[in-house]
């Protein structure tokens, strides 16, 4: 089909859709899924919270350079539609660390079982510690305190660190390079990861900082303890202050590019 034909076809379809929207009943216009969601919410179905950052070239990355770049291939004004080529570093923004990221033969991101991507959410609040210590860590004591309040950590759970680090996301402190070019931010202590491995069926760790490990690590003990067991991680999770420490369910929209070590993900909580 010629270029002009494509443009005319797109414009005709747009006009047809606008005419439909202007005359169709509201219940039909919104679509069955949206209507169903609104009815469910009205009937008391849990609210939805987005735990995902919007990513652009300014979003801080562990490695420093921008983690995403967009090249516009088609402009609406010229072609009747918009299209972009997206160049993305796997570990940018809110993203999944697949087991393959820190193991020789662990699952790649598309191999993570889908049932592991729907998780009870357990939020471990260390904000007070992180205010006092830039490299505060989730420890076994923090996990034990959560368990004493909420009961056992459920099978398949995502155990998430809420250090309050989101408040630094638009500042250099988020990655925390010091004068010696060493990073500083909170993470999981390896002993906490080991406690979860040995005593629970948790499926994922998540941090509101840039890494599962603290910033200054040279050994990445938590990554090496957790990921080679074919569990996964989520880094740069957002909005944990909008969910309870127990009782929410998260849906992890992990990418499915074959052989990937991870990738940007949409994380949604239902409360």
């Amino acid at each position: 089909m010629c270029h002009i034909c494509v443009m005319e076809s797109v414009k005709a379809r747009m006009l047809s859709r606008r005419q439909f929207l202007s005359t169709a009943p509201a219940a039909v216009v919104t679509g069955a899924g949206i209507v169903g969601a609104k009815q469910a919410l009205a009937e008391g179905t849990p609210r939805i919270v987005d735990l995902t950052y919007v990513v652009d070239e300014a979003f801080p990355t562990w490695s420093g350079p921008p983690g995403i770049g967009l090249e516009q291939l088609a402009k609406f004004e010229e072609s009747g539609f918009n299209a972009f080529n997206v160049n993305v570093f796997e570990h940018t923004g809110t993203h999944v660390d697949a087991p393959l990221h820190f193991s020789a033969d662990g699952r790649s991101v598309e191999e993570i079982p889908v049932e592991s991507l729907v998780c009870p959410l357990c939020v471990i609040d260390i904000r007070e510690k992180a205010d006092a210590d830039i490299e505060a860590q989730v420890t076994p004591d923090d996990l034990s305190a959560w368990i004493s309040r909420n009961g056992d950590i459920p099978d398949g759970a995502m155990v998430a660190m809420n250090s309050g680090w989101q408040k630094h996301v638009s500042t250099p402190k988020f990655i925390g390079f010091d004068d010696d070019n060493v990073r500083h931010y909170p993470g999981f202590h390896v002993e906490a990861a080991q406690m979860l491995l040995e005593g629970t069926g948790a499926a994922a760790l998540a941090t509101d900082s840039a890494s599962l490990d603290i910033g200054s690590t040279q050994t990445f003990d938590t990554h090496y303890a957790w990921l080679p067991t074919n569990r996964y991680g989520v880094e740069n999770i957002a909005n944990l202050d909008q969910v309870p420490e127990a009782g929410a369910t998260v849906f992890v929209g992990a990418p499915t590019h074959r052989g990937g070590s991870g990738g940007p993900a949409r994380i949604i909580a239902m409360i």
Side-chain angles (χ1 to χ4, degrees), residues 31-231:
I34 296 176
V35 170
K38 288 183 177 179
Q39 289 173 342
L41 288 170
E43 293 167 3
T45 296
R47 65 186 177 93
I48 309 299
V49 178
D50 194 345
L51 304 183
T52 315
Y53 281 110
V54 174
V55 179
D56 57 24
E57 293 182 351
F59 193 90
T61 61
W62 187 89
S63 55
I68 187 170
L70 274 71
E71 176 191 4
Q72 188 156 13
L73 302 180
K75 295 183 178 181
F76 185 85
E77 296 82 357
E78 300 171 357
S79 304
F81 61 94
N82 289 305
F84 297 84
N85 183 56
V86 183
N87 183 18
V88 183
F89 174 52
E90 287 181 315
H91 301 275
T92 194
T94 304
H95 67 273
V96 169
D97 277 5
L100 183 64
H101 188 35
F102 270 75
S103 61
D105 56 0
R107 289 182 178 129
S108 52
V109 70
E110 88 286 0
E111 294 175 330
I112 297 173
V114 68
E115 58 268 22
S116 297
L117 300 175
V118 181
C119 311
L121 180 62
C122 307
V123 180
I124 313 300
D125 190 336
I126 65 164
R127 285 177 288 184
E128 187 174 341
K129 288 202 300 184
D131 283 342
D133 179 3
I134 195 171
E135 289 199 320
Q137 298 184 76
V138 175
T139 66
D141 286 345
D142 296 314
L143 297 177
S144 295
W146 188 97
I147 291 168
S148 71
R149 293 190 301 272
N150 301 288
D152 291 341
I153 290 173
D155 287 344
M158 175 184 290
V159 181
M161 175 189 78
N162 181 11
S163 67
W165 218 242
Q166 180 168 350
K167 64 188 175 186
H168 303 304
V169 71
S170 60
T171 76
K173 190 172 181 178
F174 191 77
I175 299 298
F177 284 109
D178 63 18
D179 292 340
D180 296 320
N181 210 35
V182 177
R183 302 171 186 85
H184 297 285
Y185 44 73
F188 274 84
H189 196 287
V190 65
E191 291 178 0
Q194 290 166 341
M195 177 178 172
L196 292 169
L197 290 171
E198 295 167 5
T200 78
L205 295 182
T207 61
D208 62 345
S209 65
S211 177
L212 302 182
D213 284 280
I214 58 172
S216 65
T217 185
Q218 298 296 309
T219 56
F220 299 95
D221 294 341
T222 299
H223 278 84
Y224 280 116
W226 188 258
L227 296 179
T229 67
N230 271 331
R231 293 165 174 85

